[in-house]
């Protein structure tokens, strides 16, 4: 990605300049080669129209049969050259286009992965999918259509105009006399096309977002009988897309149609003036036929060039939307001179000092302070929305606090390299976030370069073999979309194996057994036992048993620690913790 990217007003010139410098400049040699073949392809039309004059005046009128073969061979040669030049330029253009598309998508994906989580809260997956896939393809198709058609047809127009002017200047001016009539319609059509092209791309993103939500929530839709409701919402967006698509095409097609009207005016003028010159003998039939052929051939590339102005509006919209994505910058970045992690992380306490955090206008944490002792288990409890998950997100720098300090040992985490910081943690949550890959690949996400022995130890400790031995392919069996081929308990064991393989000194548990049945929970708890030994553990507790066994319980209320201590002491205090137990916010098992 261009490291010199600046936030500038998205004028057409700046958009085109940025795209050319960032993605096209590296292929300058190939583009020049394509331009040469485009020029050959376009120039042959001028030579073809020029050949008409001697064919009529020297071959047909003077009946020189011996020249007919030579003229015919020359015309055939022009068509062969034109065909070969067109073939080569299309291959070169496609080669450049696919590489530019790949580079653009890679830059978009790499950049999006650097953005903060709040960006993904504001931009759902479907919308981002359409930006990375839909807009990049639309831009690539429009841009290289602009290049190939613009250069080839531009050369054709120049060559054909040269032939027309060489025959008769007055006839040529008459032929193009209606061109000024296009100026105002072109300006109007540009705005019209750009408006609906923008609506088209935005609606495409909304449709992708709607489909993503439908497919991810298909079980809830079926259980609540929402099929018709979702279908109606999808159809509403589809109708908006259809109208915008038709109007965008109408805008693109209107300019060629206007060119045809102007061409009709030009032809009428030519017949009136040139026809009289031929009839009175001041011009030959060859002059007229050569000029007429040039003008007939001229209006077709002019029509296509006219259509390019509409294509540019489509490209401009997609280019602006992609540049907007790339203009976003993460707020959570590495310090200029990052400090190394503590020498012995396993022996380092985790400390929050007066930490404030809010999501927009909603205050979540206010002056939060606590110490999680190294090698011990600290349980975070509280009502829903108390900020328990926020503590995990702050500790791993998924988000940064509004104020306050978070330490691991004597290191402020904001002074550490982000990758080094996150390497300190293994995370096992209720959502085991498996990918549509094999079970083996999902486990190896914890440590991609793990040895076979390390993988086997993690698999054995997490009791993975108990179910993979019965699967076709064993560890190489597919986990399915979001782990859909596995049960809840099996998914959790895969996540535990991943955490074991990662072997980080600090373990973050977002109660991975809370959604499991009793039998699955017992198996997962056995797997967890291998993971808990000797680590500093922070766990979000939804179950009374987990909180009761913790070395320290922190009760979050009002954005701060309202109580802390052991289970029995907190029960005796009769505070928020005791209320949570009495109202069964904790489950008993």
């Amino acid at each position: 990605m261009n490291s010199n990217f600046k936030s500038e007003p998205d004028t057409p010139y700046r958009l085109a300049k940025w795209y050319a410098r960032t993605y096209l400049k590296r292929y300058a040699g190939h583009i020049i080669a394509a331009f040469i073949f485009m020029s050959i392809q376009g120039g042959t039309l001028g030579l073809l129209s020029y050949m008409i004059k001697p064919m009529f005046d020297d071959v047909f009128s003077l009946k020189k049969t011996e020249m007919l073969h030579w003229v015919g061979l020359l015309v055939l040669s022009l068509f062969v050259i034109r065909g070969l030049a067109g073939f080569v330029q299309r291959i070169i253009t496609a080669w450049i286009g696919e590489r530019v598309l790949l580079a653009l998508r890679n830059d978009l994906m790499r950049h999006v992965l650097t953005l903060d989580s709040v960006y993904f809260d504001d931009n759902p997956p479907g919308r981002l999918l359409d930006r990375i896939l839909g807009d990049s393809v639309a831009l690539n198709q429009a841009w290289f259509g602009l290049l190939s058609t613009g250069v080839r047809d531009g050369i054709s127009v120049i060559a054909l105009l040269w032939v027309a002017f060489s025959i008769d200047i007055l006839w040529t001016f008459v032929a193009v006399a209606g061109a000024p009539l296009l100026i105002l319609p072109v300006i109007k059509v540009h705005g019209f096309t750009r408006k609906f092209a923008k609506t088209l791309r935005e609606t495409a993103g909304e449709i992708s977002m709607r489909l993503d939500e439908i497919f991810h929530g298909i079980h809830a839709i079926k259980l609540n009988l929402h099929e018709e409701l979702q279908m109606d919402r999808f159809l509403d967006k589809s109708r908006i897309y259809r109208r915008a698509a038709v109007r965008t095409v109408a805008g693109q097609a209107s300019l060629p149609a206007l060119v045809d009207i102007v061409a009709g005016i030009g032809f009428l003028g030519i017949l009136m003036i040139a026809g009289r010159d031929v009839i009175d003998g001041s011009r030959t039939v060859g002059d007229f036929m050569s000029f007429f052929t040039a003008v007939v051939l001229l209006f077709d590339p002019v029509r296509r060039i006219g259509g390019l102005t509409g294509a540019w509006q489509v490209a401009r919209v997609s280019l602006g939307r992609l540049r907007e994505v790339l203009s976003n910058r993460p707020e959570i970045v590495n310090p200029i001179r990052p400090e190394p992690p503590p020498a012995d992380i396993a022996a380092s306490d985790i400390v929050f000092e007066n930490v404030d955090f809010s999501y927009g206008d909603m205050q979540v944490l206010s002056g939060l302070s606590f110490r999680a002792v190294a090698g011990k288990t600290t349980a975070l409890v509280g009502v829903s929305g108390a900020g328990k998950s926020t503590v995990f997100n702050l500790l791993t720098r998924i988000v940064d606090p509004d104020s306050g300090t978070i330490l691991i040992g004597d290191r402020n985490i904001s002074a550490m390299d982000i990758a080094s910081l996150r390497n300190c943690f293994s995370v096992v949550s209720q959502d085991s976030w498996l990918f549509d890959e094999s079970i083996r690949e999902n486990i190896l996400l914890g440590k991609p370069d793990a040895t076979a022995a390390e993988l086997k130890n993690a698999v054995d400790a997490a009791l993975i073999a108990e179910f993979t031995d019965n699967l076709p392919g064993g560890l190489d069996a597919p986990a399915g979309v979001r782990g859909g081929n596995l049960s809840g308990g099996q998914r959790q064991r895969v996540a535990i194996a991943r955490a074991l393989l990662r072997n980080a000194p600090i373990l973050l548990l977002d109660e991975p057994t809370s959604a499991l049945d009793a039998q699955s929970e017992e198996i997962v708890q056995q797997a967890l036992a291998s993971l808990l030994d000797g680590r500093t553990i922070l766990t979000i507790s939804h179950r009374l048993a987990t909180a009761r066994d913790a070395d320290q319980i922190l009760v979050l209320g009002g954005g701060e620690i309202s109580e802390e201590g052991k289970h029995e002491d907190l029960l005796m205090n009769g505070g928020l913790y005791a209320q949570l137990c009495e109202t069964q916010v904790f489950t008993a098992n």
Side-chain angles (χ1 to χ4, degrees):
M1 190 176 57
N2 183 8
S3 59
N4 295 322
F5 184 89
K6 296 179 180 179
S7 179
E8 298 174 329
D10 285 339
T11 63
Y13 171 74
R14 282 177 172 154
L15 286 171
K17 179 181 176 183
W18 169 75
Y19 186 65
R21 282 186 173 181
T22 308
Y23 296 103
L24 301 183
K25 186 178 180 180
R26 69 188 76 172
Y27 301 109
H30 294 85
I31 291 174
I32 290 171
F35 280 8
I36 291 172
F37 285 102
M38 291 176 196
S39 300
I40 294 171
Q41 186 184 12
T44 53
L45 284 183
L47 291 174
L48 181 63
S49 63
Y50 187 78
M51 289 299 302
I52 298 297
K53 176 178 170 58
M55 187 166 62
F56 273 87
D57 289 347
D58 299 336
V59 178
F60 294 156
S61 297
L62 300 179
K63 299 181 180 180
K64 293 182 179 181
T65 308
E66 68 278 6
M67 291 184 63
L68 188 61
H69 300 89
W70 294 108
V71 173
L73 286 173
L74 184 56
V75 171
L76 174 61
S77 298
L78 288 175
F79 277 103
V80 170
I81 292 171
R82 177 178 172 82
L84 290 175
F87 174 77
V88 174
Q89 72 89 3
R90 284 185 179 90
I91 294 296
I92 296 174
T93 302
W95 186 90
I96 299 169
E98 290 305 316
R99 278 158 178 77
V100 168
L101 178 61
L102 178 62
L104 178 59
R105 282 182 172 174
N106 285 346
D107 282 353
L108 284 165
M109 192 63 193
R110 186 178 295 110
H111 181 73
V112 166
L113 287 174
T114 69
L115 298 178
D116 302 329
S117 61
V118 66
Y119 180 81
F120 297 92
D121 294 336
D122 297 335
N123 294 274
R127 186 178 299 164
L128 292 175
L129 279 171
D130 187 65
R131 291 287 179 97
I132 294 174
L133 300 180
D135 277 312
S136 60
V137 169
L139 171 62
N140 192 62
Q141 291 175 343
W143 186 264
F144 282 94
L146 286 166
L147 285 180
S148 59
T149 303
V151 173
R152 181 195 64 210
D153 289 339
I155 295 296
S156 296
V157 168
I158 293 171
L160 291 167
L161 282 175
W162 176 81
V163 172
F165 274 112
S166 68
I167 294 172
D168 194 293
I169 295 176
L170 178 61
W171 290 3
T172 306
F173 278 120
V174 171
V176 298
L181 298 176
L182 291 174
I183 295 175
L184 184 59
V186 165
I187 295 173
K188 294 290 186 182
V189 167
H190 278 185
F192 178 88
T193 305
R194 184 167 61 252
K195 172 186 175 183
F196 286 104
K198 183 177 181 181
T199 301
L200 184 69
R201 295 310 319 150
E202 289 176 349
T203 308
E206 291 172 359
I207 289 174
S208 296
M209 182 173 63
R210 173 59 55 189
L211 289 174
D212 178 73
E213 291 176 346
I214 289 173
F215 296 148
H216 283 155
I218 190 65
H219 296 311
I221 290 171
K222 288 183 174 295
L223 289 173
N224 291 282
L225 304 177
H226 281 176
E227 291 92 341
E228 288 300 320
L229 173 64
Q230 295 300 329
M231 193 64 203
D232 289 343
R233 291 178 177 176
F234 175 75
L235 286 175
D236 286 343
K237 297 297 181 183
S238 298
R239 291 188 184 102
I240 295 172
Y241 182 90
R242 181 199 64 199
R243 288 193 293 268
V246 170
R247 291 171 183 176
T248 300
V249 171
Q252 291 177 285
S254 60
L255 289 177
L258 291 170
V259 170
D260 284 340
I261 295 172
V262 171
I265 296 172
F267 279 123
L268 176 62
I270 291 170
L271 288 174
M272 294 297 101
I273 297 176
R276 290 175 183 174
D277 290 345
V278 173
I279 291 172
D280 65 19
S282 59
R283 287 288 184 180
T284 66
V285 173
D287 287 331
F288 178 81
M289 291 306 299
S290 182
F291 182 86
F292 192 81
T293 301
V295 173
V296 168
L297 294 175
L298 173 67
F299 280 107
D300 198 39
V302 168
R303 185 187 302 110
R304 287 195 294 268
I305 289 174
L308 290 182
T309 59
W312 162 241
Q313 299 307 316
V314 175
R316 178 182 169 185
V317 168
S318 291
L319 188 53
R321 281 161 55 89
L322 294 175
R323 182 175 164 104
E324 180 186 347
V325 173
L326 292 170
S327 69
N328 285 278
R329 291 290 179 265
E331 294 183 5
I332 299 175
V333 295
N334 278 323
I336 297 174
R337 294 182 179 83
E339 297 179 6
D344 188 359
I345 298 174
S348 300
D349 293 351
I350 297 170
V351 180
F352 277 58
E353 295 180 346
N354 296 315
V355 173
D356 292 342
F357 181 80
S358 59
Y359 290 104
D361 296 329
M362 183 176 68
Q363 187 82 21
V364 179
L365 301 178
S366 179
L368 178 67
S369 297
F370 69 85
R371 178 182 295 270
V373 179
K376 302 293 185 179
T377 298
T378 298
L380 299 173
V381 305
V383 297
S384 178
K388 302 183 294 295
S389 296
T390 301
V391 170
F392 281 15
N393 291 337
L394 287 166
L395 188 55
T396 53
R397 291 202 71 194
I398 297 298
V399 294
D400 272 346
D402 301 332
S403 62
T405 305
I406 303 173
L407 304 171
I408 297 179
D410 60 350
R411 294 286 191 275
N412 189 326
I413 65 169
S414 64
M416 294 170 57
D417 174 77
I418 294 175
S420 298
L421 169 68
R422 291 174 183 166
N423 273 331
C424 298
F425 303 99
S426 289
V427 181
V428 182
S429 64
Q430 298 177 61
D431 182 4
S432 48
W433 45 279
L434 301 190
F435 294 92
D436 190 13
E437 299 173 347
S438 70
I439 295 171
R440 182 191 305 275
E441 289 171 315
N442 272 286
I443 295 172
L444 286 172
L445 288 173
K447 188 180 180 182
D449 59 348
T451 65
E454 289 174 324
L455 176 62
K456 184 178 185 306
N457 289 337
V459 167
D460 291 344
L463 308 176
I464 297 291
E466 287 191 5
F467 67 89
T468 55
D469 286 348
N470 299 320
L471 295 176
L475 279 179
D476 294 310
V481 178
R482 294 192 169 189
N485 292 347
L486 307 178
S487 69
Q490 291 168 346
R491 287 196 296 270
Q492 293 301 76
R493 279 185 272 174
V494 171
I496 291 167
R498 179 194 296 159
L500 281 164
L501 197 61
R502 188 173 178 84
N503 197 29
I506 302 173
L507 178 61
L508 305 181
L509 291 176
D510 187 356
E511 195 62 275
T513 64
S514 62
L516 302 181
D517 57 68
Q519 183 178 2
S520 297
E521 181 186 4
E522 183 178 352
I523 297 173
V524 171
Q525 290 287 10
Q526 293 177 35
L528 276 171
S530 301
L531 188 58
L532 302 180
D533 187 38
R535 289 179 170 83
T536 302
I537 301 165
L538 267 73
T539 179
I540 294 175
S541 293
H542 300 286
R543 300 206 174 195
L544 183 58
T546 304
R548 186 168 46 211
D549 295 337
D551 297 297
Q552 175 184 220
I553 300 172
L554 304 177
V555 183
L556 272 69
E560 59 185 359
I561 302 299
S562 61
E563 297 176 279
E564 60 180 302
K566 288 185 173 293
H567 171 72
E568 293 80 5
D569 296 333
L570 292 175
L571 278 181
M572 290 178 61
N573 290 341
L576 178 59
Y577 181 80
Q579 295 175 24
L580 293 174
C581 294
E582 289 175 3
T583 55
Q584 296 183 343
V585 170
F586 289 138
T587 53
N589 54 330

